Amino acid sequence: MQEQPVVVETVDRVGVITLNRPKQMNALNDALMDALGVALLGFDADDGIGTIIITGNAKAFAAGADIAAMAGWSYMDVYRSDFITRNWETIRRVRKPVIAAVAGVVMGGGCELALACDIVIAADSARFALPEVKLAMLPGAGGTQRLPRAIGKAKAMDMCLSARTMDSAEAERSGLVSRVVAAEALLDENMALAARIASYSLPALMAIKESVNRAYESSLCEGVLFERRQLHARFASVDAREGMTAFLDKRQPVFSHR
């Protein structure tokens, strides 16, 4: 019986998606990316979920795109099938916070998938690379765009042009990951963070995610205006009223996610 390309589970208000092609080091093919997209959109539509985790296994988050699947493709094959755009970009439609919990190999498309998440928590065993140049290719799932925004032009050029590997300590120093934890504690640390985020008002989380993402895609003036409108909108929120009232009453707020 063929294994499912992703394994999905729910822990309270946290949705967990585990990439599940261990024999292929979680190489990303169409079946896996289709399944990942379905899982992401399912959790995004579930009112009981506040945060989503994407993870792999101890050896690999993901080793990149599945070269065996794509080696024979032509330009017209990838153009007509809308390669990458059709299913790899589904994560951009997710409005809830998405955390990447990465360990071992985080390379090529796997690194690009992590970059597309909102927070990246890395095990101390994690190793990052964009080695597409070795195949006379280039990162094509957002790597050349998101990586410079995360770590700056100089280091991004270094990684993309030389295919060198960056360890977890340098990744944290460079801003590629949010924090580094012991490999054996990776899932526990991520679950604790995800549960904490999910305990807050979901509309506020979505507004924050939108506002931070706007910083990547607009001028400072436009970004600040967007942020200000989001702040003003909070005053129409049931949860914001509850949060401020609870603060004044010196009690924990009870959010209804409205």
Side-chain angles (χ1 to χ4, degrees):
M1 185 174 178
Q2 189 173 4
E3 291 181 328
Q4 294 299 310
V6 302
V7 175
V8 178
E9 61 179 318
T10 299
V11 182
D12 296 325
R13 286 185 55 78
V14 178
V16 182
I17 305 170
T18 303
L19 308 183
N20 189 42
R21 299 187 73 209
K23 293 179 182 177
Q24 296 81 21
M25 301 287 280
N26 290 333
L28 307 174
N29 62 4
D30 264 351
L32 188 151
M33 297 311 292
D34 285 343
L36 176 61
V38 169
L40 285 167
L41 294 180
F43 281 142
D44 205 39
D46 186 341
D47 290 340
I49 297 296
T51 312
I52 303 166
I53 293 174
I54 302 175
T55 192
N57 57 54
K59 290 185 178 179
F61 174 67
D66 190 339
I67 305 303
M70 57 192 280
W73 293 346
S74 68
Y75 169 79
M76 197 52 64
D77 291 331
V78 296
Y79 181 70
R80 292 186 63 180
S81 68
D82 209 14
F83 176 51
I84 292 180
T85 308
R86 182 184 67 80
N87 48 9
W88 291 56
E89 299 253 310
T90 304
I91 193 169
R92 296 183 62 192
R93 295 160 53 191
V94 177
R95 301 178 69 194
K96 294 174 182 177
V98 181
I99 302 171
V102 306
V105 173
V106 191
M107 296 189 178
C111 185
E112 291 175 295
L113 175 58
L115 283 166
C117 295
D118 302 309
I119 299 173
V120 183
I121 308 298
D124 52 17
S125 64
R127 305 184 310 282
F128 302 83
L130 289 170
E132 288 85 352
V133 70
K134 291 182 177 181
L135 307 179
M137 298 290 281
L138 80 160
T144 65
Q145 304 304 299
R146 293 191 179 99
L147 190 63
R149 287 167 165 81
I151 68 175
K153 176 184 174 182
K155 280 188 176 289
M157 283 288 196
D158 187 4
M159 289 185 71
C160 291
L161 295 177
S162 73
R164 81 174 180 88
T165 299
M166 180 181 284
D167 64 22
S168 59
E170 185 181 359
E172 184 178 30
R173 291 196 307 271
S174 302
L176 177 55
V177 306
S178 309
R179 63 183 85 164
V180 175
V181 301
E184 60 271 17
L186 179 65
L187 193 54
D188 288 342
E189 292 278 355
N190 274 271
M191 286 301 302
L193 174 62
R196 179 177 181 179
I197 292 172
S199 72
Y200 300 133
S201 168
L202 181 56
L205 295 172
M206 293 162 68
I208 291 168
K209 175 172 175 171
E210 272 192 300
S211 297
V212 174
N213 281 336
R214 185 59 63 101
Y216 279 112
E217 299 167 5
S218 63
S219 67
L220 177 60
C221 181
E222 289 300 316
V224 168
L225 177 60
F226 184 85
E227 176 193 77
R228 198 64 32 79
R229 293 293 178 257
Q230 290 283 8
L231 174 65
H232 293 169
R234 294 288 83 226
F235 286 86
S237 163
V238 172
D239 283 345
R241 185 69 56 197
E242 164 65 8
M244 289 186 283
T245 301
F247 176 81
L248 294 174
D249 291 345
K250 295 181 172 58
R251 61 175 175 83
Q252 287 295 313
V254 179
F255 293 128
S256 58
H257 307 290
R258 295 169 52 211

